[in-house]
Amino acid sequence: MLTDFLMAIAMFFLNPVFYVALFAATMLGYFRVKKERRIFRTRIVYGGTEFKRLLKDGWLYALILSVIVAAAGLAVPMEWLIALSIVSIIVMLTGFYHLASFVYLASASALVVWLFEANDWTINLGFAEMTGRGLADGWLISVALIAGLLLFIESRMVEKSAAAAASPRLHKSARGLRAAAYISRRLWLIPAVLIVPGEMVSEYAPYWPQLPIGESAFSFILFPLVFGFQGRSKRTLPVYLYPKIAKSVAWSAVLTIVLALFGFLWQPMAIIALAAGVLFRLGISLYYAQKERSGNYTVTPQAQGVMIIDVLPGSPAEKMGLVRGEIIRKVNGTTVTNETELYEAIQLNAAHCRLEVIDHNLEMRLRQHVVFRHDHHRLGLLIVE
């Protein structure tokens, strides 16, 4: 049993998806920092953030997903997992994170498996043989349910970290003024326990429930499920946009799961569930992309003060509680309208900096902080002017 258990874990580390995900996350951080340094001459957060979040964010959800899949006996064929690995690697290497939602990856992989079956294709990949599999075995029900569960996990991830991952970019508004938009790109890894054809379950737990997919014996396997997200905001601050997107994605996940459950009564409902999940997820992306593209920039120069594009982590500005999109109206009692006036006013009393700030609700609040010699000379603020 110990040998089978170790083999199930080893399959995770032998899967190239894991290593491509590590590389892709590293590259996300590298190119983000490179872009931020070119625009602002400093980075917002350190370049290893994407790598860190890839490994850290998904562990709790991985445990919950594994328990649900194992308890429900949602078995999937190896043909689909091989196709999923290939599709996931292609998306990560091309950087098309618009298409990295798991419902896209799962559906595309199912389509590949069907095409291989319909055309009697076979490809020897060296480590495995890629073949097709018929849809009559009922495995699409498991795929649709897992896709729905991952879609719900995606909604939680987007709500939790998409806004924090948003990196500012400078553009020109319709009036020719400098304005800021935000690009959020994230990749997540879910190390999930899946049920596949094999001997482990049948040998050590013969009465373990499994969804029949044309096989009589099954095993557990630890598999790297990956999915990603990309969004752009300009008319809405990320902190307000991405919770709305997350809520919409969560409802599409519920729809996908409910339709997939009807597959137990009529198997074609699994296909409908995947199609509905893809269409609704695509509709959400297109709706919010068009909405953000058509509106005015929310972070632009302001007559009543200077608007904050971003705040550097650990800086005096962060300690004062300043956030993106707020407007600094006065510094040490002096009205400021640009960056030069802002830092000249700070020097009036650098030891005790006092700011009047207009928050997102257009309400005035006061912030103050003692500025030490070792603190960032610009308070850690990126502003638009």
Side-chain angles (χ1 to χ4, degrees), residues 168-192:
R169 302 287 186 269
L170 289 181
H171 299 158
K172 276 194 175 182
S173 68
R175 292 164 33 191
L177 301 175
R178 297 178 80 187
Y182 298 87
I183 304 296
S184 181
R185 304 180 80 197
R186 200 59 118 202
L187 184 67
W188 293 288
L189 172 69
I190 304 292

mmCIF file of all heavy atoms in Angstrom, residues 168-192:
data_model
loop_
_atom_site.group_PDB
_atom_site.id
_atom_site.type_symbol
_atom_site.label_atom_id
_atom_site.label_comp_id
_atom_site.label_asym_id
_atom_site.label_seq_id
_atom_site.Cartn_x
_atom_site.Cartn_y
_atom_site.Cartn_z
ATOM 1 N N PRO A 168 -0.428 48.684 -12.241
ATOM 2 C CA PRO A 168 -0.848 49.893 -12.970
ATOM 3 C C PRO A 168 -0.077 50.096 -14.274
ATOM 4 O O PRO A 168 1.093 49.730 -14.398
ATOM 5 C CB PRO A 168 -0.554 51.022 -11.984
ATOM 6 C CG PRO A 168 0.551 50.486 -11.122
ATOM 7 C CD PRO A 168 0.320 49.013 -11.010
ATOM 8 N N ARG A 169 -0.759 50.693 -15.245
ATOM 9 C CA ARG A 169 -0.179 51.101 -16.523
ATOM 10 C C ARG A 169 -0.618 52.529 -16.808
ATOM 11 O O ARG A 169 -1.749 52.913 -16.498
ATOM 12 C CB ARG A 169 -0.652 50.191 -17.665
ATOM 13 C CG ARG A 169 -0.339 48.715 -17.481
ATOM 14 C CD ARG A 169 1.147 48.441 -17.682
ATOM 15 N NE ARG A 169 1.424 47.022 -17.642
ATOM 16 C CZ ARG A 169 1.744 46.342 -16.541
ATOM 17 N NH1 ARG A 169 1.798 46.993 -15.381
ATOM 18 N NH2 ARG A 169 1.981 45.057 -16.579
ATOM 19 N N LEU A 170 0.255 53.321 -17.411
ATOM 20 C CA LEU A 170 -0.082 54.702 -17.755
ATOM 21 C C LEU A 170 -0.521 54.798 -19.198
ATOM 22 O O LEU A 170 0.143 54.270 -20.099
ATOM 23 C CB LEU A 170 1.121 55.617 -17.514
ATOM 24 C CG LEU A 170 1.493 55.875 -16.059
ATOM 25 C CD1 LEU A 170 2.681 56.819 -15.976
ATOM 26 C CD2 LEU A 170 0.310 56.434 -15.271
ATOM 27 N N HIS A 171 -1.662 55.442 -19.419
ATOM 28 C CA HIS A 171 -2.202 55.667 -20.759
ATOM 29 C C HIS A 171 -2.505 57.149 -20.932
ATOM 30 O O HIS A 171 -2.355 57.933 -19.992
ATOM 31 C CB HIS A 171 -3.483 54.851 -20.965
ATOM 32 C CG HIS A 171 -3.287 53.375 -20.844
ATOM 33 N ND1 HIS A 171 -4.303 52.509 -20.549
ATOM 34 C CD2 HIS A 171 -2.177 52.593 -20.973
ATOM 35 C CE1 HIS A 171 -3.857 51.270 -20.498
ATOM 36 N NE2 HIS A 171 -2.553 51.308 -20.746
ATOM 37 N N LYS A 172 -2.974 57.508 -22.103
ATOM 38 C CA LYS A 172 -3.477 58.863 -22.346
ATOM 39 C C LYS A 172 -4.985 58.806 -22.470
ATOM 40 O O LYS A 172 -5.534 57.982 -23.198
ATOM 41 C CB LYS A 172 -2.864 59.457 -23.620
ATOM 42 C CG LYS A 172 -1.502 60.086 -23.413
ATOM 43 C CD LYS A 172 -1.110 60.947 -24.597
ATOM 44 C CE LYS A 172 0.213 61.676 -24.306
ATOM 45 N NZ LYS A 172 0.596 62.560 -25.437
ATOM 46 N N SER A 173 -5.653 59.687 -21.748
ATOM 47 C CA SER A 173 -7.110 59.737 -21.808
ATOM 48 C C SER A 173 -7.557 60.421 -23.087
ATOM 49 O O SER A 173 -6.736 60.927 -23.870
ATOM 50 C CB SER A 173 -7.658 60.487 -20.593
ATOM 51 O OG SER A 173 -7.304 61.863 -20.673
ATOM 52 N N ALA A 174 -8.873 60.461 -23.312
ATOM 53 C CA ALA A 174 -9.421 61.095 -24.509
ATOM 54 C C ALA A 174 -9.092 62.582 -24.550
ATOM 55 O O ALA A 174 -9.043 63.185 -25.619
ATOM 56 C CB ALA A 174 -10.930 60.881 -24.561
ATOM 57 N N ARG A 175 -8.835 63.189 -23.387
ATOM 58 C CA ARG A 175 -8.480 64.614 -23.321
ATOM 59 C C ARG A 175 -6.978 64.824 -23.374
ATOM 60 O O ARG A 175 -6.496 65.943 -23.194
ATOM 61 C CB ARG A 175 -9.034 65.209 -22.023
ATOM 62 C CG ARG A 175 -10.551 65.283 -22.010
ATOM 63 C CD ARG A 175 -11.126 65.498 -20.630
ATOM 64 N NE ARG A 175 -10.273 66.318 -19.765
ATOM 65 C CZ ARG A 175 -10.492 66.449 -18.471
ATOM 66 N NH1 ARG A 175 -11.490 65.797 -17.908
ATOM 67 N NH2 ARG A 175 -9.693 67.199 -17.742
ATOM 68 N N GLY A 176 -6.219 63.745 -23.606
ATOM 69 C CA GLY A 176 -4.772 63.864 -23.726
ATOM 70 C C GLY A 176 -4.033 63.899 -22.411
ATOM 71 O O GLY A 176 -2.828 64.191 -22.377
ATOM 72 N N LEU A 177 -4.728 63.599 -21.305
ATOM 73 C CA LEU A 177 -4.098 63.603 -19.998
ATOM 74 C C LEU A 177 -3.589 62.207 -19.650
ATOM 75 O O LEU A 177 -4.083 61.203 -20.169
ATOM 76 C CB LEU A 177 -5.105 64.063 -18.932
ATOM 77 C CG LEU A 177 -5.711 65.457 -19.123
ATOM 78 C CD1 LEU A 177 -6.773 65.707 -18.066
ATOM 79 C CD2 LEU A 177 -4.629 66.532 -19.058
ATOM 80 N N ARG A 178 -2.605 62.156 -18.777
ATOM 81 C CA ARG A 178 -2.124 60.852 -18.301
ATOM 82 C C ARG A 178 -3.183 60.231 -17.399
ATOM 83 O O ARG A 178 -3.782 60.907 -16.557
ATOM 84 C CB ARG A 178 -0.813 61.005 -17.544
ATOM 85 C CG ARG A 178 0.329 61.534 -18.378
ATOM 86 C CD ARG A 178 1.571 61.710 -17.543
ATOM 87 N NE ARG A 178 2.259 60.443 -17.346
ATOM 88 C CZ ARG A 178 3.302 60.298 -16.538
ATOM 89 N NH1 ARG A 178 3.747 61.318 -15.838
ATOM 90 N NH2 ARG A 178 3.895 59.136 -16.414
ATOM 91 N N ALA A 179 -3.398 58.948 -17.585
ATOM 92 C CA ALA A 179 -4.381 58.230 -16.786
ATOM 93 C C ALA A 179 -3.854 56.824 -16.532
ATOM 94 O O ALA A 179 -2.959 56.340 -17.225
ATOM 95 C CB ALA A 179 -5.728 58.184 -17.507
ATOM 96 N N ALA A 180 -4.410 56.179 -15.536
ATOM 97 C CA ALA A 180 -3.929 54.852 -15.154
ATOM 98 C C ALA A 180 -4.995 53.794 -15.367
ATOM 99 O O ALA A 180 -6.179 54.015 -15.100
ATOM 100 C CB ALA A 180 -3.479 54.847 -13.695
ATOM 101 N N ALA A 181 -4.563 52.643 -15.884
ATOM 102 C CA ALA A 181 -5.385 51.442 -15.942
ATOM 103 C C ALA A 181 -4.635 50.353 -15.181
ATOM 104 O O ALA A 181 -3.448 50.504 -14.844
ATOM 105 C CB ALA A 181 -5.635 51.023 -17.386
ATOM 106 N N TYR A 182 -5.307 49.254 -14.897
ATOM 107 C CA TYR A 182 -4.706 48.185 -14.100
ATOM 108 C C TYR A 182 -4.876 46.845 -14.802
ATOM 109 O O TYR A 182 -5.968 46.508 -15.263
ATOM 110 C CB TYR A 182 -5.349 48.121 -12.708
ATOM 111 C CG TYR A 182 -5.146 49.381 -11.896
ATOM 112 C CD1 TYR A 182 -6.026 50.451 -12.009
ATOM 113 C CD2 TYR A 182 -4.067 49.504 -11.040
ATOM 114 C CE1 TYR A 182 -5.844 51.607 -11.279
ATOM 115 C CE2 TYR A 182 -3.876 50.655 -10.292
ATOM 116 C CZ TYR A 182 -4.762 51.704 -10.416
ATOM 117 O OH TYR A 182 -4.573 52.855 -9.691
ATOM 118 N N ILE A 183 -3.787 46.101 -14.875
ATOM 119 C CA ILE A 183 -3.786 44.769 -15.475
ATOM 120 C C ILE A 183 -3.552 43.742 -14.368
ATOM 121 O O ILE A 183 -2.579 43.843 -13.617
ATOM 122 C CB ILE A 183 -2.683 44.623 -16.547
ATOM 123 C CG1 ILE A 183 -2.824 45.704 -17.615
ATOM 124 C CG2 ILE A 183 -2.731 43.232 -17.163
ATOM 125 C CD1 ILE A 183 -4.090 45.617 -18.422
ATOM 126 N N SER A 184 -4.450 42.779 -14.279
ATOM 127 C CA SER A 184 -4.323 41.719 -13.284
ATOM 128 C C SER A 184 -4.141 40.387 -13.999
ATOM 129 O O SER A 184 -4.986 39.988 -14.801
ATOM 130 C CB SER A 184 -5.570 41.673 -12.388
ATOM 131 O OG SER A 184 -5.445 40.674 -11.403
ATOM 132 N N ARG A 185 -3.041 39.720 -13.716
ATOM 133 C CA ARG A 185 -2.762 38.394 -14.292
ATOM 134 C C ARG A 185 -2.309 37.474 -13.173
ATOM 135 O O ARG A 185 -1.393 37.801 -12.432
ATOM 136 C CB ARG A 185 -1.692 38.468 -15.380
ATOM 137 C CG ARG A 185 -2.010 39.435 -16.506
ATOM 138 C CD ARG A 185 -0.906 39.438 -17.543
ATOM 139 N NE ARG A 185 -1.022 38.317 -18.442
ATOM 140 C CZ ARG A 185 -0.036 37.879 -19.232
ATOM 141 N NH1 ARG A 185 1.148 38.451 -19.154
ATOM 142 N NH2 ARG A 185 -0.225 36.870 -20.052
ATOM 143 N N ARG A 186 -2.959 36.323 -13.085
ATOM 144 C CA ARG A 186 -2.641 35.408 -12.005
ATOM 145 C C ARG A 186 -2.769 33.962 -12.475
ATOM 146 O O ARG A 186 -3.590 33.641 -13.331
ATOM 147 C CB ARG A 186 -3.586 35.654 -10.837
ATOM 148 C CG ARG A 186 -3.120 35.152 -9.506
ATOM 149 C CD ARG A 186 -1.807 35.734 -9.061
ATOM 150 N NE ARG A 186 -1.908 36.499 -7.825
ATOM 151 C CZ ARG A 186 -1.058 37.411 -7.476
ATOM 152 N NH1 ARG A 186 -0.050 37.712 -8.255
ATOM 153 N NH2 ARG A 186 -1.175 38.057 -6.349
ATOM 154 N N LEU A 187 -1.939 33.103 -11.892
ATOM 155 C CA LEU A 187 -1.966 31.670 -12.171
ATOM 156 C C LEU A 187 -2.038 30.943 -10.838
ATOM 157 O O LEU A 187 -1.322 31.298 -9.894
ATOM 158 C CB LEU A 187 -0.711 31.249 -12.938
ATOM 159 C CG LEU A 187 -0.615 29.789 -13.386
ATOM 160 C CD1 LEU A 187 -1.674 29.480 -14.445
ATOM 161 C CD2 LEU A 187 0.780 29.494 -13.931
ATOM 162 N N TRP A 188 -2.909 29.928 -10.762
ATOM 163 C CA TRP A 188 -3.075 29.178 -9.518
ATOM 164 C C TRP A 188 -2.898 27.686 -9.772
ATOM 165 O O TRP A 188 -3.264 27.166 -10.828
ATOM 166 C CB TRP A 188 -4.457 29.415 -8.921
ATOM 167 C CG TRP A 188 -4.660 30.815 -8.449
ATOM 168 C CD1 TRP A 188 -4.111 31.424 -7.352
ATOM 169 C CD2 TRP A 188 -5.491 31.824 -9.064
ATOM 170 N NE1 TRP A 188 -4.541 32.726 -7.245
ATOM 171 C CE2 TRP A 188 -5.387 32.996 -8.279
ATOM 172 C CE3 TRP A 188 -6.324 31.838 -10.184
ATOM 173 C CZ2 TRP A 188 -6.074 34.154 -8.589
ATOM 174 C CZ3 TRP A 188 -7.003 32.995 -10.501
ATOM 175 C CH2 TRP A 188 -6.867 34.139 -9.703
ATOM 176 N N LEU A 189 -2.365 27.003 -8.773
ATOM 177 C CA LEU A 189 -2.112 25.567 -8.840
ATOM 178 C C LEU A 189 -2.903 24.875 -7.735
ATOM 179 O O LEU A 189 -2.807 25.257 -6.568
ATOM 180 C CB LEU A 189 -0.617 25.286 -8.675
ATOM 181 C CG LEU A 189 -0.193 23.822 -8.542
ATOM 182 C CD1 LEU A 189 -0.403 23.087 -9.861
ATOM 183 C CD2 LEU A 189 1.268 23.718 -8.116
ATOM 184 N N ILE A 190 -3.667 23.864 -8.123
ATOM 185 C CA ILE A 190 -4.452 23.082 -7.172
ATOM 186 C C ILE A 190 -3.977 21.631 -7.226
ATOM 187 O O ILE A 190 -4.289 20.910 -8.182
ATOM 188 C CB ILE A 190 -5.966 23.141 -7.498
ATOM 189 C CG1 ILE A 190 -6.457 24.585 -7.543
ATOM 190 C CG2 ILE A 190 -6.765 22.316 -6.487
ATOM 191 C CD1 ILE A 190 -6.455 25.283 -6.212
ATOM 192 N N PRO A 191 -3.206 21.168 -6.244
ATOM 193 C CA PRO A 191 -2.780 19.765 -6.225
ATOM 194 C C PRO A 191 -3.926 18.888 -5.693
ATOM 195 O O PRO A 191 -4.093 18.745 -4.481
ATOM 196 C CB PRO A 191 -1.578 19.775 -5.270
ATOM 197 C CG PRO A 191 -1.797 20.947 -4.394
ATOM 198 C CD PRO A 191 -2.614 21.948 -5.149
ATOM 199 N N ALA A 192 -4.695 18.313 -6.590
ATOM 200 C CA ALA A 192 -5.927 17.612 -6.220
ATOM 201 C C ALA A 192 -5.779 16.100 -6.336
ATOM 202 O O ALA A 192 -5.104 15.598 -7.239
ATOM 203 C CB ALA A 192 -7.080 18.082 -7.105
#
